[in-house]
Amino acid sequence: KAGVTQTPRYLIKTRGQQVTLSCSPISGHRSVSWYQQTPGQGLQFLFEYFSETQRNKGNFPGRFSGRQFSNSRSEMNVSTLELGDSALYLCASSLDRTGAKRGRTDTQYFGPGTRLTVL
Amino acid sequence: AQSVAQPEDQVNVAEGNPLTVKCTYSVSGNPYLFWYVQYPNRGLQFLLKYITGDNLVKGSYGFEAEFNKSQTSFHLKKPSALVSDSALYFCAVRPPNTGFQKLVFGTGTRLLVSP
């Protein structure tokens, strides 16, 4: 099975611009989560999407948004970029089987990430 | 609030020797615990997880981890380290009693295995 794919792998933008990152989950996976990784803050949860609905959100400003499509592919958007948005953005997918406990135990599998540099 | 601590920024070990990467957690209730590894310019690769059952969990590439509820620890171990094990290791916890997929990560431990 193909793994999680993210495009593009590298992006360079300038302050004030906006950017859209894309994530294709593993086939059959219904949950997609996004994380930001920086040297200073480490790995931080951005948000999670399930069945085209945002199910959970981390502590990030409203400039960070996302969506999920009917085929479970997901995009995240960052508007009005700031220098501090430079980071590796990681997408993860999981099966999220129905049934409360089973879904919680499913593993998240990560993509290779998109390296965003804001100049 | 849920949190994970990895007290060592770096662990150095000689090839062939056993390795341990430490992780402690703070979660109310029964936690779901995970270990991931990250190689340079790569995403996170899943190694193993503890959900319930046997406290010793075996994972990929010969790694294992021991869940210790009384010490709230989930240390990663391998009996014999390889140079190729050199990478950044993250411990993570998923808060219980929620259907969501959010992971809370530790700060990471860099493992350096010398030949």
Side-chain angles (χ1 to χ4, degrees), chain A residues 4-115:
Chain A
V4 178
T5 58
Q6 292 187 246
T7 57
R9 291 293 310 278
Y10 301 92
L11 265 179
I12 299 176
K13 294 285 187 179
T14 57
R15 280 181 298 174
Q17 288 186 309
Q18 75 166 15
V19 67
T20 298
L21 313 181
S22 180
C23 171
S24 293
I26 293 171
S27 177
H29 283 196
R30 304 189 301 164
S31 167
V32 174
S33 299
W34 290 88
Y35 294 82
Q36 182 196 62
Q37 185 179 21
T38 60
Q41 299 298 318
L43 278 156
Q44 293 187 289
F45 172 79
L46 279 158
F47 28 63
E48 183 210 354
Y49 286 87
F50 178 80
S51 291
E52 302 179 63
T53 301
Q54 187 180 88
R55 191 161 67 171
N56 197 5
K57 190 178 191 304
N59 189 25
F60 279 82
R63 300 185 297 106
F64 291 81
S65 63
R67 59 178 176 169
Q68 186 180 34
F69 302 94
S70 59
N71 61 358
S72 293
R73 191 177 69 85
S74 177
E75 290 181 347
M76 68 163 281
N77 183 278
V78 188
S79 62
T80 320
L81 284 166
E82 300 177 0
L83 295 179
D85 297 333
S86 294
L88 180 66
Y89 289 88
L90 293 164
C91 165
S93 76
S94 67
L95 192 58
D96 204 281
R97 293 166 287 173
T98 53
K101 187 170 184 180
R102 283 176 289 173
R104 278 183 244 137
T105 63
D106 286 329
T107 300
Q108 288 186 51
Y109 294 94
F110 285 79
T114 294
R115 172 75 62 185

Side-chain angles (χ1 to χ4, degrees), chain A residues 37 96 104-106 108, chain B residues 36 38 49 94 98 101 103:
Chain A
Q37 185 179 21
D96 204 281
R104 278 183 244 137
T105 63
D106 286 329
Q108 288 186 51
Chain B
Y36 286 86
Q38 186 176 36
K49 66 182 178 184
R94 176 178 303 150
T98 171
Q101 298 291 345
L103 289 173

Side-chain angles (χ1 to χ4, degrees), chain B residues 7-12 108-112:
Chain B
E8 302 155 316
D9 289 337
Q10 182 163 311
V11 169
N12 298 305
T109 298
R110 188 164 301 281
L111 174 66
L112 185 60

